[in-house]
PDB file of all heavy atoms in Angstrom:
ATOM      1  N   SER V 122     -97.184  19.150 167.957  1.00  0.00           N
ATOM      2  CA  SER V 122     -98.126  20.186 167.494  1.00  0.00           C
ATOM      3  C   SER V 122     -97.924  20.513 166.009  1.00  0.00           C
ATOM      4  O   SER V 122     -98.927  20.693 165.210  1.00  0.00           O
ATOM      5  CB  SER V 122     -97.951  21.425 168.322  1.00  0.00           C
ATOM      6  OG  SER V 122     -98.424  21.286 169.637  1.00  0.00           O
ATOM      7  N   GLU V 123     -96.636  20.715 165.637  1.00  0.00           N
ATOM      8  CA  GLU V 123     -96.331  21.064 164.294  1.00  0.00           C
ATOM      9  C   GLU V 123     -96.520  19.994 163.297  1.00  0.00           C
ATOM     10  O   GLU V 123     -97.113  20.182 162.229  1.00  0.00           O
ATOM     11  CB  GLU V 123     -94.889  21.606 164.219  1.00  0.00           C
ATOM     12  CG  GLU V 123     -94.735  22.912 164.957  1.00  0.00           C
ATOM     13  CD  GLU V 123     -93.297  23.317 165.211  1.00  0.00           C
ATOM     14  OE1 GLU V 123     -92.310  22.716 164.594  1.00  0.00           O
ATOM     15  OE2 GLU V 123     -92.982  24.270 165.996  1.00  0.00           O
ATOM     16  N   THR V 124     -96.184  18.779 163.618  1.00  0.00           N
ATOM     17  CA  THR V 124     -96.254  17.618 162.749  1.00  0.00           C
ATOM     18  C   THR V 124     -97.651  17.301 162.472  1.00  0.00           C
ATOM     19  O   THR V 124     -98.081  17.020 161.289  1.00  0.00           O
ATOM     20  CB  THR V 124     -95.508  16.397 163.312  1.00  0.00           C
ATOM     21  OG1 THR V 124     -94.160  16.744 163.517  1.00  0.00           O
ATOM     22  CG2 THR V 124     -95.666  15.209 162.344  1.00  0.00           C
ATOM     23  N   TYR V 125     -98.571  17.270 163.459  1.00  0.00           N
ATOM     24  CA  TYR V 125     -99.944  16.875 163.362  1.00  0.00           C
ATOM     25  C   TYR V 125    -100.988  17.937 163.356  1.00  0.00           C
ATOM     26  O   TYR V 125    -102.068  17.655 163.231  1.00  0.00           O
ATOM     27  CB  TYR V 125    -100.188  15.852 164.418  1.00  0.00           C
ATOM     28  CG  TYR V 125     -99.296  14.604 164.322  1.00  0.00           C
ATOM     29  CD1 TYR V 125     -98.254  14.471 165.144  1.00  0.00           C
ATOM     30  CD2 TYR V 125     -99.483  13.787 163.276  1.00  0.00           C
ATOM     31  CE1 TYR V 125     -97.325  13.461 165.074  1.00  0.00           C
ATOM     32  CE2 TYR V 125     -98.528  12.621 163.157  1.00  0.00           C
ATOM     33  CZ  TYR V 125     -97.507  12.423 164.080  1.00  0.00           C
ATOM     34  OH  TYR V 125     -96.624  11.529 163.888  1.00  0.00           O
ATOM     35  N   LYS V 126    -100.436  19.212 163.375  1.00  0.00           N
ATOM     36  CA  LYS V 126    -101.307  20.378 163.297  1.00  0.00           C
ATOM     37  C   LYS V 126    -102.448  20.219 164.373  1.00  0.00           C
ATOM     38  O   LYS V 126    -103.657  20.417 164.084  1.00  0.00           O
ATOM     39  CB  LYS V 126    -101.945  20.588 161.999  1.00  0.00           C
ATOM     40  CG  LYS V 126    -100.946  20.624 160.833  1.00  0.00           C
ATOM     41  CD  LYS V 126    -100.028  21.783 160.910  1.00  0.00           C
ATOM     42  CE  LYS V 126     -99.111  21.854 159.687  1.00  0.00           C
ATOM     43  NZ  LYS V 126     -97.718  21.837 160.008  1.00  0.00           N
ATOM     44  N   CYS V 127    -102.036  20.022 165.671  1.00  0.00           N
ATOM     45  CA  CYS V 127    -102.960  19.846 166.665  1.00  0.00           C
ATOM     46  C   CYS V 127    -102.534  20.604 167.932  1.00  0.00           C
ATOM     47  O   CYS V 127    -101.300  20.941 168.048  1.00  0.00           O
ATOM     48  CB  CYS V 127    -103.253  18.415 167.097  1.00  0.00           C
ATOM     49  SG  CYS V 127    -101.747  17.476 167.636  1.00  0.00           S
ATOM     50  N   LYS V 128    -103.474  20.922 168.835  1.00  0.00           N
ATOM     51  CA  LYS V 128    -103.126  21.715 170.040  1.00  0.00           C
ATOM     52  C   LYS V 128    -103.287  20.819 171.251  1.00  0.00           C
ATOM     53  O   LYS V 128    -104.156  19.914 171.248  1.00  0.00           O
ATOM     54  CB  LYS V 128    -104.117  22.886 170.093  1.00  0.00           C
ATOM     55  CG  LYS V 128    -103.753  23.881 171.202  1.00  0.00           C
ATOM     56  CD  LYS V 128    -104.436  25.164 170.950  1.00  0.00           C
ATOM     57  CE  LYS V 128    -104.322  26.121 172.071  1.00  0.00           C
ATOM     58  NZ  LYS V 128    -103.003  26.348 172.663  1.00  0.00           N
ATOM     59  N   GLU V 129    -102.457  21.054 172.209  1.00  0.00           N
ATOM     60  CA  GLU V 129    -102.463  20.286 173.508  1.00  0.00           C
ATOM     61  C   GLU V 129    -103.868  20.518 174.223  1.00  0.00           C
ATOM     62  O   GLU V 129    -104.425  21.625 174.035  1.00  0.00           O
ATOM     63  CB  GLU V 129    -101.276  20.569 174.274  1.00  0.00           C
ATOM     64  CG  GLU V 129    -101.380  21.836 175.082  1.00  0.00           C
ATOM     65  CD  GLU V 129    -100.975  23.067 174.230  1.00  0.00           C
ATOM     66  OE1 GLU V 129    -100.466  22.994 173.124  1.00  0.00           O
ATOM     67  OE2 GLU V 129    -101.259  24.226 174.694  1.00  0.00           O
ATOM     68  N   LYS V 130    -104.219  19.511 174.962  1.00  0.00           N
ATOM     69  CA  LYS V 130    -105.265  19.733 175.954  1.00  0.00           C
ATOM     70  C   LYS V 130    -104.827  19.327 177.228  1.00  0.00           C
ATOM     71  O   LYS V 130    -104.426  18.186 177.469  1.00  0.00           O
ATOM     72  CB  LYS V 130    -106.497  18.944 175.477  1.00  0.00           C
ATOM     73  CG  LYS V 130    -107.740  19.113 176.362  1.00  0.00           C
ATOM     74  CD  LYS V 130    -108.921  18.488 175.814  1.00  0.00           C
ATOM     75  CE  LYS V 130    -110.167  18.868 176.690  1.00  0.00           C
ATOM     76  NZ  LYS V 130    -111.352  18.171 176.315  1.00  0.00           N
ATOM     77  N   ILE V 131    -104.870  20.195 178.270  1.00  0.00           N
ATOM     78  CA  ILE V 131    -104.392  19.809 179.579  1.00  0.00           C
ATOM     79  C   ILE V 131    -105.553  19.387 180.420  1.00  0.00           C
ATOM     80  O   ILE V 131    -106.622  20.126 180.528  1.00  0.00           O
ATOM     81  CB  ILE V 131    -103.720  21.099 180.186  1.00  0.00           C
ATOM     82  CG1 ILE V 131    -102.501  21.580 179.371  1.00  0.00           C
ATOM     83  CG2 ILE V 131    -103.325  20.862 181.620  1.00  0.00           C
ATOM     84  CD1 ILE V 131    -101.871  22.828 179.718  1.00  0.00           C
ATOM     85  N   GLU V 132    -105.493  18.219 181.006  1.00  0.00           N
ATOM     86  CA  GLU V 132    -106.610  17.635 181.769  1.00  0.00           C
ATOM     87  C   GLU V 132    -106.039  17.072 183.056  1.00  0.00           C
ATOM     88  O   GLU V 132    -104.929  16.641 183.246  1.00  0.00           O
ATOM     89  CB  GLU V 132    -107.141  16.514 180.955  1.00  0.00           C
ATOM     90  CG  GLU V 132    -107.805  16.830 179.611  1.00  0.00           C
ATOM     91  CD  GLU V 132    -108.417  15.698 178.882  1.00  0.00           C
ATOM     92  OE1 GLU V 132    -108.015  14.579 179.156  1.00  0.00           O
ATOM     93  OE2 GLU V 132    -109.134  15.896 178.012  1.00  0.00           O
ATOM     94  N   TYR V 133    -106.954  17.050 183.992  1.00  0.00           N
ATOM     95  CA  TYR V 133    -106.628  16.428 185.289  1.00  0.00           C
ATOM     96  C   TYR V 133    -107.163  14.960 185.246  1.00  0.00           C
ATOM     97  O   TYR V 133    -108.318  14.707 184.927  1.00  0.00           O
ATOM     98  CB  TYR V 133    -107.291  17.095 186.526  1.00  0.00           C
ATOM     99  CG  TYR V 133    -106.808  16.503 187.835  1.00  0.00           C
ATOM    100  CD1 TYR V 133    -105.641  17.164 188.331  1.00  0.00           C
ATOM    101  CD2 TYR V 133    -107.425  15.606 188.511  1.00  0.00           C
ATOM    102  CE1 TYR V 133    -105.130  16.725 189.579  1.00  0.00           C
ATOM    103  CE2 TYR V 133    -106.900  15.116 189.659  1.00  0.00           C
ATOM    104  CZ  TYR V 133    -105.703  15.674 190.204  1.00  0.00           C
ATOM    105  OH  TYR V 133    -105.197  15.197 191.418  1.00  0.00           O
ATOM    106  N   SER V 134    -106.311  14.009 185.566  1.00  0.00           N
ATOM    107  CA  SER V 134    -106.701  12.621 185.721  1.00  0.00           C
ATOM    108  C   SER V 134    -106.611  12.073 187.100  1.00  0.00           C
ATOM    109  O   SER V 134    -105.670  12.317 187.775  1.00  0.00           O
ATOM    110  CB  SER V 134    -105.795  11.822 184.783  1.00  0.00           C
ATOM    111  OG  SER V 134    -106.059  10.475 184.942  1.00  0.00           O
ATOM    112  N   SER V 135    -107.706  11.348 187.469  1.00  0.00           N
ATOM    113  CA  SER V 135    -107.617  10.619 188.774  1.00  0.00           C
ATOM    114  C   SER V 135    -107.276   9.199 188.591  1.00  0.00           C
ATOM    115  O   SER V 135    -107.381   8.407 189.555  1.00  0.00           O
ATOM    116  CB  SER V 135    -109.042  10.717 189.499  1.00  0.00           C
ATOM    117  OG  SER V 135    -109.407  12.099 189.649  1.00  0.00           O
ATOM    118  N   CYS V 136    -106.923   8.758 187.452  1.00  0.00           N
ATOM    119  CA  CYS V 136    -106.549   7.362 187.242  1.00  0.00           C
ATOM    120  C   CYS V 136    -105.415   6.846 188.147  1.00  0.00           C
ATOM    121  O   CYS V 136    -104.569   7.726 188.551  1.00  0.00           O
ATOM    122  CB  CYS V 136    -106.203   7.055 185.717  1.00  0.00           C
ATOM    123  SG  CYS V 136    -104.535   7.550 185.259  1.00  0.00           S
ATOM    124  N   SER V 137    -105.480   5.649 188.428  1.00  0.00           N
ATOM    125  CA  SER V 137    -104.524   5.160 189.326  1.00  0.00           C
ATOM    126  C   SER V 137    -103.094   5.012 188.735  1.00  0.00           C
ATOM    127  O   SER V 137    -102.107   4.942 189.565  1.00  0.00           O
ATOM    128  CB  SER V 137    -104.999   3.779 189.885  1.00  0.00           C
ATOM    129  OG  SER V 137    -105.175   2.897 188.843  1.00  0.00           O
ATOM    130  N   MET V 138    -102.970   4.884 187.439  1.00  0.00           N
ATOM    131  CA  MET V 138    -101.646   4.794 186.787  1.00  0.00           C
ATOM    132  C   MET V 138    -100.745   6.009 187.084  1.00  0.00           C
ATOM    133  O   MET V 138     -99.633   5.957 187.519  1.00  0.00           O
ATOM    134  CB  MET V 138    -101.833   4.493 185.362  1.00  0.00           C
ATOM    135  CG  MET V 138    -102.119   3.099 185.024  1.00  0.00           C
ATOM    136  SD  MET V 138    -102.377   2.885 183.227  1.00  0.00           S
ATOM    137  CE  MET V 138    -100.689   2.909 182.623  1.00  0.00           C
ATOM    138  N   LYS V 139    -101.280   7.180 186.706  1.00  0.00           N
ATOM    139  CA  LYS V 139    -100.511   8.420 186.870  1.00  0.00           C
ATOM    140  C   LYS V 139    -101.534   9.617 187.216  1.00  0.00           C
ATOM    141  O   LYS V 139    -101.944  10.322 186.312  1.00  0.00           O
ATOM    142  CB  LYS V 139     -99.852   8.768 185.626  1.00  0.00           C
ATOM    143  CG  LYS V 139     -98.573   7.918 185.381  1.00  0.00           C
ATOM    144  CD  LYS V 139     -97.433   8.565 185.966  1.00  0.00           C
ATOM    145  CE  LYS V 139     -96.161   7.905 185.457  1.00  0.00           C
ATOM    146  NZ  LYS V 139     -94.996   8.388 186.230  1.00  0.00           N
ATOM    147  N   PRO V 140    -101.976   9.686 188.494  1.00  0.00           N
ATOM    148  CA  PRO V 140    -102.892  10.799 188.756  1.00  0.00           C
ATOM    149  C   PRO V 140    -102.272  12.180 188.653  1.00  0.00           C
ATOM    150  O   PRO V 140    -101.060  12.334 188.809  1.00  0.00           O
ATOM    151  CB  PRO V 140    -103.331  10.490 190.189  1.00  0.00           C
ATOM    152  CG  PRO V 140    -102.275   9.711 190.758  1.00  0.00           C
ATOM    153  CD  PRO V 140    -101.706   8.900 189.613  1.00  0.00           C
ATOM    154  N   GLY V 141    -103.082  13.185 188.398  1.00  0.00           N
ATOM    155  CA  GLY V 141    -102.563  14.576 188.264  1.00  0.00           C
ATOM    156  C   GLY V 141    -102.762  15.109 186.926  1.00  0.00           C
ATOM    157  O   GLY V 141    -103.481  14.526 186.155  1.00  0.00           O
ATOM    158  N   TRP V 142    -102.198  16.303 186.712  1.00  0.00           N
ATOM    159  CA  TRP V 142    -102.364  17.015 185.445  1.00  0.00           C
ATOM    160  C   TRP V 142    -101.561  16.273 184.324  1.00  0.00           C
ATOM    161  O   TRP V 142    -100.456  15.821 184.596  1.00  0.00           O
ATOM    162  CB  TRP V 142    -101.952  18.406 185.501  1.00  0.00           C
ATOM    163  CG  TRP V 142    -102.905  19.233 186.345  1.00  0.00           C
ATOM    164  CD1 TRP V 142    -102.704  19.578 187.685  1.00  0.00           C
ATOM    165  CD2 TRP V 142    -104.154  19.712 185.979  1.00  0.00           C
ATOM    166  NE1 TRP V 142    -103.817  20.207 188.180  1.00  0.00           N
ATOM    167  CE2 TRP V 142    -104.707  20.373 187.114  1.00  0.00           C
ATOM    168  CE3 TRP V 142    -104.955  19.602 184.832  1.00  0.00           C
ATOM    169  CZ2 TRP V 142    -105.977  20.973 187.087  1.00  0.00           C
ATOM    170  CZ3 TRP V 142    -106.200  20.218 184.869  1.00  0.00           C
ATOM    171  CH2 TRP V 142    -106.713  20.894 185.945  1.00  0.00           C
ATOM    172  N   ASN V 143    -102.216  16.164 183.072  1.00  0.00           N
ATOM    173  CA  ASN V 143    -101.495  15.570 181.957  1.00  0.00           C
ATOM    174  C   ASN V 143    -101.791  16.357 180.766  1.00  0.00           C
ATOM    175  O   ASN V 143    -102.737  17.227 180.758  1.00  0.00           O
ATOM    176  CB  ASN V 143    -101.822  14.106 181.889  1.00  0.00           C
ATOM    177  CG  ASN V 143    -103.260  13.835 181.632  1.00  0.00           C
ATOM    178  OD1 ASN V 143    -103.848  14.370 180.667  1.00  0.00           O
ATOM    179  ND2 ASN V 143    -103.869  12.948 182.329  1.00  0.00           N
ATOM    180  N   ILE V 144    -101.130  16.091 179.695  1.00  0.00           N
ATOM    181  CA  ILE V 144    -101.353  16.768 178.353  1.00  0.00           C
ATOM    182  C   ILE V 144    -101.692  15.733 177.370  1.00  0.00           C
ATOM    183  O   ILE V 144    -100.904  14.720 177.104  1.00  0.00           O
ATOM    184  CB  ILE V 144    -100.012  17.575 178.005  1.00  0.00           C
ATOM    185  CG1 ILE V 144     -99.576  18.540 179.074  1.00  0.00           C
ATOM    186  CG2 ILE V 144    -100.261  18.321 176.711  1.00  0.00           C
ATOM    187  CD1 ILE V 144     -98.491  18.005 179.861  1.00  0.00           C
ATOM    188  N   LYS V 145    -102.824  15.982 176.692  1.00  0.00           N
ATOM    189  CA  LYS V 145    -103.145  15.024 175.598  1.00  0.00           C
ATOM    190  C   LYS V 145    -102.964  15.871 174.219  1.00  0.00           C
ATOM    191  O   LYS V 145    -103.332  16.979 174.123  1.00  0.00           O
ATOM    192  CB  LYS V 145    -104.667  14.616 175.722  1.00  0.00           C
ATOM    193  CG  LYS V 145    -104.811  13.618 176.807  1.00  0.00           C
ATOM    194  CD  LYS V 145    -106.293  13.095 176.713  1.00  0.00           C
ATOM    195  CE  LYS V 145    -106.489  11.918 177.638  1.00  0.00           C
ATOM    196  NZ  LYS V 145    -106.429  12.037 178.938  1.00  0.00           N
ATOM    197  N   TYR V 146    -102.623  15.020 173.250  1.00  0.00           N
ATOM    198  CA  TYR V 146    -102.639  15.517 171.863  1.00  0.00           C
ATOM    199  C   TYR V 146    -103.563  14.588 171.083  1.00  0.00           C
ATOM    200  O   TYR V 146    -103.301  13.363 171.149  1.00  0.00           O
ATOM    201  CB  TYR V 146    -101.192  15.538 171.276  1.00  0.00           C
ATOM    202  CG  TYR V 146    -100.347  16.604 171.762  1.00  0.00           C
ATOM    203  CD1 TYR V 146     -99.456  16.473 172.879  1.00  0.00           C
ATOM    204  CD2 TYR V 146    -100.408  17.860 171.178  1.00  0.00           C
ATOM    205  CE1 TYR V 146     -98.719  17.523 173.261  1.00  0.00           C
ATOM    206  CE2 TYR V 146     -99.604  18.902 171.547  1.00  0.00           C
ATOM    207  CZ  TYR V 146     -98.902  18.784 172.703  1.00  0.00           C
ATOM    208  OH  TYR V 146     -98.083  19.766 173.134  1.00  0.00           O
ATOM    209  N   LYS V 147    -104.488  15.209 170.431  1.00  0.00           N
ATOM    210  CA  LYS V 147    -105.566  14.460 169.707  1.00  0.00           C
ATOM    211  C   LYS V 147    -105.533  14.983 168.272  1.00  0.00           C
ATOM    212  O   LYS V 147    -105.341  16.130 168.008  1.00  0.00           O
ATOM    213  CB  LYS V 147    -106.900  14.625 170.305  1.00  0.00           C
ATOM    214  CG  LYS V 147    -107.052  13.947 171.636  1.00  0.00           C
ATOM    215  CD  LYS V 147    -108.486  14.147 172.102  1.00  0.00           C
ATOM    216  CE  LYS V 147    -108.661  13.476 173.483  1.00  0.00           C
ATOM    217  NZ  LYS V 147    -110.081  13.456 173.951  1.00  0.00           N
ATOM    218  N   LYS V 148    -105.893  14.078 167.340  1.00  0.00           N
ATOM    219  CA  LYS V 148    -106.075  14.429 165.966  1.00  0.00           C
ATOM    220  C   LYS V 148    -107.121  13.678 165.351  1.00  0.00           C
ATOM    221  O   LYS V 148    -107.141  12.437 165.538  1.00  0.00           O
ATOM    222  CB  LYS V 148    -104.695  14.194 165.201  1.00  0.00           C
ATOM    223  CG  LYS V 148    -104.763  14.587 163.686  1.00  0.00           C
ATOM    224  CD  LYS V 148    -104.781  16.122 163.594  1.00  0.00           C
ATOM    225  CE  LYS V 148    -104.738  16.538 162.174  1.00  0.00           C
ATOM    226  NZ  LYS V 148    -104.805  17.960 161.958  1.00  0.00           N
ATOM    227  N   ALA V 149    -108.101  14.221 164.743  1.00  0.00           N
ATOM    228  CA  ALA V 149    -109.314  13.549 164.123  1.00  0.00           C
ATOM    229  C   ALA V 149    -110.002  12.641 165.207  1.00  0.00           C
ATOM    230  O   ALA V 149    -110.352  11.518 164.911  1.00  0.00           O
ATOM    231  CB  ALA V 149    -108.788  12.758 162.933  1.00  0.00           C
ATOM    232  N   GLY V 150    -110.049  13.135 166.360  1.00  0.00           N
ATOM    233  CA  GLY V 150    -110.772  12.396 167.420  1.00  0.00           C
ATOM    234  C   GLY V 150    -110.033  11.259 168.103  1.00  0.00           C
ATOM    235  O   GLY V 150    -110.547  10.668 168.977  1.00  0.00           O
ATOM    236  N   ARG V 151    -108.804  11.057 167.719  1.00  0.00           N
ATOM    237  CA  ARG V 151    -108.034   9.948 168.289  1.00  0.00           C
ATOM    238  C   ARG V 151    -106.862  10.628 169.082  1.00  0.00           C
ATOM    239  O   ARG V 151    -106.251  11.607 168.710  1.00  0.00           O
ATOM    240  CB  ARG V 151    -107.359   9.184 167.185  1.00  0.00           C
ATOM    241  CG  ARG V 151    -108.241   8.426 166.349  1.00  0.00           C
ATOM    242  CD  ARG V 151    -107.540   7.442 165.471  1.00  0.00           C
ATOM    243  NE  ARG V 151    -107.096   6.242 166.277  1.00  0.00           N
ATOM    244  CZ  ARG V 151    -106.291   5.332 165.799  1.00  0.00           C
ATOM    245  NH1 ARG V 151    -105.736   5.395 164.691  1.00  0.00           N
ATOM    246  NH2 ARG V 151    -105.948   4.346 166.609  1.00  0.00           N
ATOM    247  N   THR V 152    -106.677  10.040 170.290  1.00  0.00           N
ATOM    248  CA  THR V 152    -105.520  10.520 171.072  1.00  0.00           C
ATOM    249  C   THR V 152    -104.237   9.908 170.515  1.00  0.00           C
ATOM    250  O   THR V 152    -104.032   8.767 170.418  1.00  0.00           O
ATOM    251  CB  THR V 152    -105.702  10.096 172.624  1.00  0.00           C
ATOM    252  OG1 THR V 152    -106.933  10.486 173.101  1.00  0.00           O
ATOM    253  CG2 THR V 152    -104.521  10.470 173.414  1.00  0.00           C
TER     254      THR V 152
END
């Protein structure tokens, strides 16, 4: 958060790799 001046986004994923809640950090539209 501090290095890239971005905020987390908590999302639910149904993907088969790791289903459940996860946290994404994005900057300038890129994860």
Side-chain angles (χ1 to χ4, degrees):
S122 292
E123 291 166 15
T124 302
Y125 300 104
K126 308 294 183 240
C127 60
K128 188 160 172 46
E129 75 280 348
K130 185 172 184 185
I131 299 170
E132 297 179 344
Y133 190 87
S134 173
S135 298
C136 80
S137 58
M138 283 178 70
K139 286 271 190 188
W142 290 102
N143 62 53
I144 303 100
K145 283 190 170 70
Y146 283 94
K147 294 182 179 185
K148 183 70 177 179
R151 295 188 78 191
T152 300

